[in-house]
Amino acid sequence: MDRLPDETHARHGFLRDYFCDRDARATARSGAWELELYWPDEPERHVDPELDTHLRPWGVSLGEMAQAVRQSGRVTTALYDTWTLVSWSHWFATEEGSPDAPLIILHVDDHRDLMPPRLFGTEGGWRDPFTNQPFDIRDPATVLTALQSGGVGMGSFLTPVLHHYRQAEVRHLCQPPKVTETQRFQVIPDTTVDDLIEPGALRPAITLKPESSASGPHSYLLTPDIDEWLADLGDGPILLHIDMDYFNNRFDGDGDWRDRPEVLDPDRAEVMARIRAVASALSERALLPRIVDGVVAYSPGFFPSEFWEEADATLRATLGELYEEAL
């Protein structure tokens, strides 16, 4: 980690950009930097003022939110959406989860989640640099280890999926102001060079190349329109990811959110109506039986915690088949 700046603020900024979804502390010891990753537990470090109150039903503290996860039928419910990759990896490990077969990913989110994870390439695949152990998305134990170590984070969990499942088609539903019109891309698995832990090591990355005719395998559809999101869906099993910040992203992880010119911050009634609209679209097109695994993430610091309880009840009422039945 020779590239870490000596100046305190510059070093803090470098670490924040590199890790982005968790805190990192570098301490100088014997002429080298010792790095510690942790989840902050101080209230002043979190932008949602009601967060502590609405964590009580989950039985976790501010510093334990990354551990909060529940399972009902085919749905994993978590606070942090890194659990999406852990949940899906159990299906990837089955014979049905062949990387050569068609696969549809329905991504409901205010973010793409396609950042490069902190994994390094080897001749045999990917390696978690924090544990020095192999990482394989078809091995749930290695995925869980990478979640805990910091190898894979909230904004990067989709990247290793698209590296491994080259036949996957992503349908991404996203609201304004971030997305105002439908866009199509070709998915290109790529790499990027690490600049901190092992400078020069290759990390998985995804390039989205704009292509107006892109559809089917290797494609990425980004749209604010629910009908276009599900139009002409191809064959194959479906993986569903719902990050609740699609419905309201008031905070967007930003302490200065009040100063942003445009904020996705509809009121409670509009949020619940949108949840029912998305659920109805899936149900009316008979897609629920095709969903082999679904994940709902409440994203503290993005989706306001004051909506969590009612949103969960609304999802369970409208997508009951997923919550109650096992395939």
Side-chain angles (χ1 to χ4, degrees):
M1 295 188 288
D2 295 339
R3 299 192 60 183
L4 269 184
D6 291 329
E7 199 277 323
T8 302
H9 291 92
R11 185 169 63 252
H12 176 75
F14 189 98
L15 291 172
R16 184 185 56 215
D17 290 345
Y18 186 87
F19 290 101
C20 61
D21 51 4
R22 66 169 57 187
D23 280 13
R25 181 186 298 122
T27 305
R29 296 190 192 282
S30 304
W33 292 106
E34 183 176 290
L35 196 61
E36 177 192 6
L37 301 182
Y38 64 99
W39 299 106
D41 57 3
E42 308 92 340
E44 61 273 17
R45 295 293 313 283
H46 297 273
V47 297
D48 184 343
E50 297 189 31
L51 194 53
D52 200 25
T53 298
H54 297 287
L55 281 179
R56 290 171 192 161
W58 288 83
V60 296
S61 66
L62 291 170
E64 297 171 332
M65 290 191 293
Q67 303 169 24
V69 61
R70 299 168 176 169
Q71 182 75 39
S72 298
R74 282 173 276 160
V75 180
T76 296
T77 302
L79 294 183
Y80 286 0
D81 67 359
T82 322
W83 284 98
T84 304
L85 190 54
V86 178
S87 183
W88 290 358
S89 69
H90 289 276
W91 183 78
F92 295 151
T94 67
E95 291 185 4
E96 190 183 4
S98 167
D100 300 321
L103 176 65
I104 307 292
I105 296 175
L106 296 182
H107 185 48
V108 182
D109 202 321
D110 205 43
H111 307 88
R112 297 187 184 188
D113 297 330
L114 286 174
M115 297 173 68
R118 295 170 287 267
L119 301 171
F120 297 154
T122 69
E123 289 187 3
W126 301 106
R127 175 174 58 87
D128 179 345
F130 302 103
T131 63
N132 206 30
Q133 297 296 312
F135 169 88
D136 181 353
I137 65 170
R138 303 191 69 183
D139 182 343
T142 70
V143 176
L144 179 59
T145 297
L147 178 155
Q148 295 167 335
S149 74
V152 178
M154 286 180 277
S156 62
F157 73 86
L158 201 50
T159 299
V161 176
L162 299 187
H163 256 263
H164 194 77
Y165 286 86
R166 303 294 175 97
Q167 301 297 315
E169 173 182 359
V170 181
R171 299 290 187 98
H172 182 180
L173 184 64
C174 186
Q175 293 204 71
K178 288 190 177 176
V179 174
T180 57
E181 62 180 4
T182 298
Q183 303 166 62
R184 297 177 182 274
F185 304 89
Q186 178 187 358
V187 176
I188 302 175
D190 207 343
T191 56
T192 188
V193 178
D194 187 67
D195 62 355
L196 178 64
I197 299 176
E198 290 184 17
L202 296 180
R203 296 165 56 183
I206 293 294
T207 296
L208 295 181
K209 178 183 177 184
E211 189 172 300
S212 60
S213 62
S215 64
H218 329 288
S219 71
Y220 191 107
L221 173 78
L222 177 62
T223 182
D225 185 280
I226 291 179
D227 289 330
E228 286 198 57
W229 177 50
L230 299 176
D232 303 319
L233 210 58
D235 295 331
I238 295 173
L239 295 172
L240 174 66
H241 169 250
I242 299 177
D243 188 324
M244 297 304 289
D245 67 16
Y246 161 78
F247 299 100
N248 183 312
N249 191 15
R250 177 188 303 164
F251 303 115
D252 204 14
D254 182 1
D256 297 323
W257 63 272
R258 290 181 180 83
D259 299 328
R260 295 205 311 271
E262 293 183 301
V263 178
L264 175 60
D265 190 20
D267 64 19
R268 179 182 297 270
E270 193 173 342
V271 167
M272 302 311 153
R274 192 72 177 180
I275 292 173
R276 287 189 286 271
V278 170
S280 294
L282 293 170
S283 179
E284 290 169 359
R285 290 165 177 77
L287 295 176
L288 297 185
R290 292 178 56 187
I291 296 174
V292 293
D293 194 283
V295 178
V296 175
Y298 281 87
S299 291
F302 295 82
F303 182 61
S305 60
E306 67 194 69
F307 299 147
W308 289 2
E309 183 176 359
E310 186 172 349
D312 186 65
T314 304
L315 280 168
R316 290 174 186 272
T318 53
L319 296 175
E321 179 181 334
L322 292 182
Y323 283 91
E324 297 170 2
E325 294 183 4
L327 287 177

